[in-house]
Amino acid sequence: MKVLDTHREPSSMQGAVIVLALLGVTSGGEALHLIHLPATSNVPENAPPATSVHEFSVNLSVSLSPVMPGFPMVVNPSPFTEAFRVNRLSGTSFEVVTTGKEQLDFETGPKIFDLQIYVKDDVGVTDLQVLTVQVTDVNEPPQFQGNLAQGLNLYVVERTNPGFIYQVEAFDPEDTSRNIPLSHFLISPSKNFRMSANGTLFSTTELDFEAGHKSFYLLVGVRDSGNLEASAALQVTIVNINDEIPRFISPRRDYSIPEELRPGTIVANITAEDPDDEGFPGHLLYSITTISSYFVIDQLTGTIQVAQRLDRDAAELRQNPIISLEVLVRDRPSGGQENRIQITFTVEDINDNPATCRKLTFSIMLTERAANGTLLLDLNKFCFDDDSEAPNNKFNFTTPSGVGSSRRFSQHPAGSGRIVLIGDLDYENPSNLAAGNKYSVIIQVQDVAPPYYKNSIYVSILTSPENEFPLIFDRPSYMFDVSETRPARTRVGRVRATDTDLPQRSVVYSISGGGASLRYPNIFWINPKTGELQLVTKADHETIPVYILTVEASNGEDASSVTITVNIIGENDEKPMCTPEFYFMAIPVDLKVGTNIQNFKLTCTDPDSSPRSFRYSIGSGNINSHFTFSPNAGSNVTRLLLASHFDYAGGLDKIWDYKLLVYITDDNLLSGRRDAKALVETGTVTLSVKVTPHPTSIITTAPRPRITYQILRENTYSPSAWYVPFIITLGSMLLVGLLGSLTVLLAKTVYRHCSSMTRKDKKQLTKKGDMKNVKREAVVESVQMNTVFDGEATDPVTGEIYEFNSKTGARKWKGPLTQLPSWPEPSPQPRGTAAEGPFTKHAEK
């Protein structure tokens, strides 16, 4: 069986029922069908959930197949609603009930619903019938609108004038046009409120929060024309406002307090109350309006505390001990209500200051010849009591005490604080020496009122001796010796000066003259406490062998001086110094053994050694021992000799540049001694020797036609003389240009003068000469670039003598160009060959 589309329009439902009936008849036997349907039932509006609307049953088919779970069901209600559903009563009995999902309202909702009841068994047999449900009208009581329906809380500010408070809104659900008036009233009567018939709520009295009118509970009723009533609760809360000024309740206004109370001590407690405090509990704020640095008030509690020290004996309190304050109480931080009160504090004096003195320690110096009765000290000029009132500010002095002072010092008159001398202070007195000529006197200054504060005064009395004896050194003069090799801070000697006066004073030593060298203002230092003489730096015997110093001693009263002679002992502490310290030499490879190389001479000096004390040796660089010095010891002048010949051809020698490090020591005279304790110093000299090879003389021939140019060039370029070839090249270019222009002019002139020559003469001239026999001419051009040559050597090939530059290695033949080798006359050769030598260059003209 095909299930119907439940979303079709209700107008097609009759056709669907006919189709289902025909299908049931054609299926054979009695078909499944609904009993008591179709039908029409009524339901009252506002029916609660599960209200029964209509009961029906199901007649099973001949197969007795049961109804499927979930069937029958309501499908395609018209109009659509979820207010109904089907409940199972038994296996074949069912009922239609309300769901409560939607309220059935006769006045505002649909009044008729067509419900299609659809049933289906286990074998798929179905039936569909229509139940028509009519909503019936029920008389309903009035209803309140807005929040009043759930209960309403109104807030009314106190002190508000009697009058309108609130308008109650209600309606009758039966009166859709809202034309029938409703009657409003107060169910619980109140003397403070009344309500008009149209629902207006009025206050009848002025409401005062402080009088106990804090809130009211009202029950409002409404009645329709059918005498149906409804009620709602209305809570009226009175809002408290700040309309009362605070009132002080603390009775005390005057306070007496002692001075010197600690900061933070509570001295008064100002309290007030606010009639509005039920609405604003604890909101009173206290403050002091009077400018005062002595007190502060807690703004929440009203307690007044000491803010700083209350000293009755100082500042303004000494003149006026009464402090007046104005306390302000306010019920809000700003605005609101406030009140003020005046209070006074009287600060009372106490004996809190002991008698004291501007100085409690005194030091007095007396000469040993001071007379008896001399006034040493009057304590009344120094002592005082800061208390402001008597007897707190009165004091006196006790009898002086102290070891050894009773027979020397006293107070006269007693208790006056005047201390005088009554004994002997002779510095040489043995009893005074035993006391150290120093005495201590103790006197107490004491209050005359309790608690009798005391302060001790200490007087130290010193006896000053007279200066009777001079300060003298233990020697009339001093002489010390020190080696010139000794380092700084070396002890040279010590001086000592004494004074027999007592007490002994420390002596301070200083150098007042002498001790200067060429480099330092003073090479000596003396310890100011011990008198020990030390070197500040090394001394130089060769510069200054003897120093004369003047040393002064002083003890603060006397001064004395003494002469010190310091002999500087000479030592061998200077290195030999030689000239030149560096030298460069160039020698030919075939220099004869024993030759003094370039006449080189080394001259050495040493300020503290004899010329015979020098010894010479060559350190690194003397490979194969080609070089030596003569003499090698016993003289301050020596020469560099070639000790052995060079062998480059045999492979013995590899290098051409030698760096010789020469050591010069001054121990030659000590070499023969068995016990040589003297110092030895060594100097150094660096020599550079360059070995120059033989100049080559290879002749290479190349045939050249016709004219051959022979150019002699000498490569004498030096990096330090870079400008020489530059200037020569530039000058050559200018000269060539000039010669070229002159040649062109000469050619033009010759051509003009020879134009008259006949052709015959030209032919005869040609016949007279045979071009094949024309003798070739050699033109030699010599360019000399540098003429500084400091050495000579013999060419091993030609035997000729040439000169060379020892620094650059450049060479040239000695003498004019006539000493060049005589080259043979070139014979006729094939084209492209000519003779060339090591100093020639050929070019075709």
Side-chain angles (χ1 to χ4, degrees), residues 743-817:
T743 302
V744 172
L745 295 175
L746 180 62
K748 291 181 178 181
T749 304
V750 171
Y751 176 77
R752 288 196 299 268
H753 288 282
C754 295
S755 58
S756 60
M757 294 178 64
T758 62
R759 185 177 183 86
K760 181 178 179 179
D761 294 333
K762 294 181 181 178
K763 292 181 179 180
Q764 292 177 356
L765 180 61
T766 304
K767 291 180 179 180
K768 290 181 180 180
D770 189 355
M771 295 302 298
K772 294 182 180 180
N773 296 326
V774 176
K775 184 177 181 180
R776 295 181 176 87
E777 295 180 359
V779 180
V780 180
E781 181 182 359
S782 177
V783 180
Q784 185 172 353
M785 300 181 67
N786 195 344
T787 58
V788 180
F789 298 94
D790 54 0
E792 294 182 357
T794 302
D795 187 276
V797 178
T798 63
E800 299 290 335
I801 297 176
Y802 65 91
E803 296 178 344
F804 62 88
N805 189 308
S806 60
K807 293 185 178 181
T808 64
R811 310 176 196 131
K812 74 171 183 177
W813 297 112
K814 185 175 183 181
L817 291 176

Side-chain angles (χ1 to χ4, degrees), residues 353-403:
N353 293 308
T356 186
C357 303
R358 287 190 295 273
K359 290 177 59 178
L360 295 176
T361 302
F362 296 88
S363 180
I364 300 174
M365 178 74 71
L366 289 177
T367 63
E368 59 179 331
R369 299 180 181 178
N372 288 339
T374 301
L375 177 63
L376 305 183
L377 181 64
D378 187 355
L379 294 176
N380 286 290
K381 297 179 180 179
F382 299 93
C383 299
F384 56 91
D385 191 328
D386 278 335
D387 287 318
S388 59
E389 296 180 355
N392 296 331
N393 56 5
K394 302 299 180 182
F395 58 89
N396 56 22
F397 298 94
T398 62
T399 303
S401 62
V403 178

Side-chain angles (χ1 to χ4, degrees), residues 273-341:
E273 62 180 6
D274 187 359
D276 298 319
D277 61 356
E278 293 189 16
F280 304 93
H283 277 195
L284 293 180
L285 303 175
Y286 299 89
S287 62
I288 297 176
T289 61
T290 308
I291 299 176
S292 176
S293 60
Y294 293 108
F295 301 99
V296 293
I297 190 170
D298 190 312
Q299 65 172 354
L300 299 179
T301 64
T303 56
I304 298 179
Q305 302 174 347
V306 177
Q308 70 176 24
R309 180 188 178 192
L310 293 171
D311 189 358
R312 172 69 175 80
D313 310 311
E316 58 184 355
L317 293 180
R318 191 177 187 93
Q319 302 297 329
N320 182 16
I322 298 176
I323 303 173
S324 297
L325 301 178
E326 182 184 70
V327 178
L328 170 69
V329 61
R330 181 183 290 119
D331 56 11
R332 289 184 185 178
S334 61
Q337 303 294 332
E338 63 182 33
N339 201 354
R340 301 169 187 264
I341 189 176

Side-chain angles (χ1 to χ4, degrees), residues 1 20-21 23-34 59-62 121 125-127:
M1 179 179 289
L20 291 174
L23 290 174
V25 173
T26 58
S27 64
E30 188 176 0
L32 176 73
H33 65 275
L34 296 167
N59 187 18
L60 302 179
S61 64
V62 292
D121 62 9
V125 180
T126 63
D127 191 13

Side-chain angles (χ1 to χ4, degrees), residues 470-483:
L471 179 67
I472 59 174
F473 285 89
D474 56 0
R475 299 184 194 173
S477 63
Y478 297 86
M479 180 175 292
F480 304 115
D481 296 334
V482 64
S483 172

